[in-house]
């Protein structure tokens, strides 16, 4: 088999995979829905994403910002926790290391 035939065989196998897994039907339904829209959306990509169950671009950006905010809060709380643990260890050492105990 030459390289061209190999490529064609791979393409055909991939097409069959997409068909058997339902991807082609799903994409076709979404594209038909877009075609049938009377008022075409300003972003066809966002329309397809929403129809496939994904967040809109603006929702994605909001989620990304929220994740960053939560990561910063987490890091702050983690540092506070570490500092509190360090202080607790100091207090334990003072209590158990004192000569009057």
């Amino acid at each position: 088999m030459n390289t061209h035939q190999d490529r064609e065989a791979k393409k055909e196998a991939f097409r069959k995979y997409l068909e058997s897994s339902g991807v082609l039907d799903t994409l076709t339904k979404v594209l038909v829905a877009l075609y049938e829209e009377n008022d075409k959306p300003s972003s066809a990509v966002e329309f397809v994403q929403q129809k496939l169950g994904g967040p809109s671009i603006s929702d994605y950006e909001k989620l990304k910002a929220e994740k960053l905010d939560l990561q910063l809060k987490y890091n702050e709380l983690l540092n506070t926790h570490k500092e509190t643990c360090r202080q607790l260890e100091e207090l334990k050492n003072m209590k158990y290391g004192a000569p009057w105990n």
Side-chain angles (χ1 to χ4, degrees), residues 3-73:
T3 358
H4 176 70
Q5 288 173 327
D6 287 344
R7 260 185 279 151
E8 289 304 314
K10 285 182 183 179
K11 282 182 188 178
E12 181 60 20
F14 186 64
R15 188 196 63 73
K16 285 180 181 178
Y17 162 73
L18 292 176
E19 190 174 339
S20 68
S21 63
V23 172
L24 291 181
D25 281 343
T26 302
L27 288 176
T28 300
K29 287 176 186 172
V30 170
L31 293 174
V32 167
L34 177 59
Y35 175 77
E36 291 175 347
E37 279 289 310
N38 289 329
D39 298 323
K40 299 292 185 242
S42 58
S43 172
V45 171
E46 194 165 325
F47 177 89
V48 169
Q49 285 175 327
Q50 287 174 335
K51 289 292 182 185
L52 291 175
S56 67
I57 293 170
S58 60
D59 286 344
Y60 176 77
E61 292 301 322
K62 287 177 193 171
L63 289 170
K64 226 166 86 169
E66 184 179 349
K67 179 185 178 268
L68 178 62
D69 185 47
L70 290 171
Q71 185 67 52
L72 293 172
K73 287 178 182 176

Side-chain angles (χ1 to χ4, degrees), residues 79-90:
N79 287 335
T80 301
H81 173 72
K82 287 178 182 178
E83 177 59 21
T84 303
C85 288
R86 187 193 63 73
Q87 291 172 356
L88 179 61
E89 282 303 312
E90 276 184 22

